[in-house]
Amino acid sequence: MVKVSFNSALSQKDVKKDAETLIPEEDKDVEAALPVHYQSRAWSWCMCLGLALMLSGMVVGGAYLYRYYVSENDHVFVCGVDYREEDFMIQEEDEVIVEDLPNQFHLRQLEETIRVLTTEEVELISVPVPNFEEGDPADIVHDFQRRLTAYLDLSLNKCYVIPLNTSIVMPPKDLLALLVNIKAGTYLPQSYLVHEEMMVTERLEHVDQLGYFIYNLCRGKETFKLQRRDRILGMQKREALNCHKIRHFENKFVVETLICEP
């Protein structure tokens, strides 16, 4: 009889080895992977914090640069003027000369916001809803480099462009000096009203060719070209026209711009 025996130690050792081969590799490396996971999360937080600090620094620095470089040439005034209503007419590129005004005319007041950009030679005027019955609120751009004026009638949401009339619009530096004097109280204007009439002649399609400021004002809006209409006081014929008026000032007097469509 042959007796067969097994080595128990060897069999236990093989069982252990087989059991180890059934353990997934991921389970073996869990503890080793944890430090790497925490390290990547910490690195992400550091990146976010660094970006936040960088952005805040850019905002603060940009605000400082804007205040230092832009504010010196960007002046904003909210002011008003008292004026008498009277029929004075403006001729293109002619000086307006008015004698002493009689006292029987009723005083009105006009308020507006004026922004003067001396470096760009641009005046930006915002006329709110007037406190009298007739008249539209408007935004106005006088661009001395382009020699153009643009009116945005806020009631109609239409833009109108015409060559700049320097007889009624002060250059930016002169207007700035006038507004500074008004603000300081050394010059308190009591002015008068003059009239100008404009006729719509054609529609403008390429507003982007009119310069940055007028393009920014008229972009996306119907834009028309204007022409001044000759008018003789007391002799003009009243035609059936669709007209809107805008009262504004950028000089020592108030201007009523009448814009008519045929």
Side-chain angles (χ1 to χ4, degrees):
M1 178 182 291
V2 178
K3 185 177 182 181
V4 179
S5 63
F6 296 91
N7 191 339
S8 61
L10 181 60
S11 62
Q12 291 178 0
K13 186 175 182 180
D14 292 338
V15 171
K16 289 182 179 180
K17 185 178 295 185
D18 292 339
E20 289 177 358
T21 59
L22 297 176
I23 299 176
E25 293 294 331
E26 294 180 357
D27 295 340
K28 292 182 179 180
D29 296 336
V30 169
E31 294 183 357
L34 287 177
V36 177
H37 179 67
Y38 287 130
Q39 184 178 3
S40 62
R41 180 178 295 181
W43 174 251
S44 299
W45 280 108
C46 289
M47 284 287 292
C48 293
L49 182 60
L51 289 174
L53 292 175
M54 185 182 300
L55 290 175
S56 62
M58 291 175 63
V59 170
V60 174
Y64 174 78
L65 291 175
Y66 176 85
R67 181 178 179 183
Y68 184 79
Y69 289 104
V70 178
S71 298
E72 295 297 323
N73 297 316
D74 187 353
H75 307 271
V76 180
F77 298 85
V78 179
C79 53
V81 60
D82 294 328
Y83 65 95
R84 299 179 185 275
E85 289 199 65
E86 192 159 359
D87 287 328
F88 293 104
M89 299 302 302
I90 300 176
Q91 302 297 328
E92 186 171 357
E93 300 298 335
D94 291 335
E95 293 295 332
V96 178
I97 302 176
V98 181
E99 298 178 356
D100 294 337
L101 298 174
N103 294 324
Q104 67 266 24
F105 292 98
H106 178 66
L107 278 177
R108 290 185 180 272
Q109 187 177 67
L110 177 66
E111 295 183 355
E112 65 183 26
T113 302
I114 304 176
R115 182 182 175 194
V116 182
L117 306 177
T118 54
T119 301
E120 295 84 355
E121 294 187 276
V122 172
E123 299 166 6
L124 308 174
I125 299 173
S126 178
V127 181
V129 178
N131 54 9
F132 50 89
E133 294 182 0
E134 298 182 354
D136 291 347
D139 290 334
I140 305 171
V141 173
H142 298 298
D143 191 332
F144 277 76
Q145 290 186 354
R146 293 276 179 167
R147 307 289 292 180
L148 292 172
T149 291
Y151 303 91
L152 172 59
D153 190 315
L154 297 176
S155 296
L156 304 176
N157 199 32
K158 292 182 179 180
C159 224
Y160 304 93
V161 181
I162 193 169
L164 177 65
N165 187 354
T166 56
S167 68
I168 65 172
V169 183
M170 276 187 170
K173 291 183 180 180
D174 296 341
L175 180 61
L176 178 61
L178 175 65
L179 295 174
V180 169
N181 288 333
I182 293 176
K183 183 178 180 181
T186 57
Y187 182 81
L188 298 177
Q190 181 171 312
S191 190
Y192 49 90
L193 177 69
V194 294
H195 302 265
E196 62 176 358
E197 283 193 12
M198 311 292 188
M199 288 292 300
V200 173
T201 58
E202 60 182 293
R203 182 166 180 170
L204 298 176
E205 300 293 342
H206 303 289
V207 186
D208 56 325
Q209 299 177 1
L210 303 178
Y212 169 78
F213 294 97
I214 293 180
Y215 171 71
N216 191 49
L217 180 72
C218 301
R219 177 180 53 189
K221 302 173 180 64
E222 290 184 285
T223 304
F224 302 91
K225 182 179 179 180
L226 295 177
Q227 184 177 354
R228 287 182 175 83
R229 183 184 181 199
D230 294 333
R231 173 182 168 187
I232 302 175
L233 185 62
M235 296 181 62
Q236 70 278 6
K237 295 181 180 180
R238 296 294 181 181
E239 301 177 7
L241 299 174
N242 181 22
C243 300
H244 301 269
K245 63 179 64 175
I246 300 172
R247 290 189 178 181
H248 53 98
F249 72 94
E250 48 277 292
N251 207 316
K252 295 180 181 179
F253 49 83
V254 176
V255 179
E256 179 182 276
T257 301
L258 189 67
I259 300 176
C260 299
E261 298 182 12

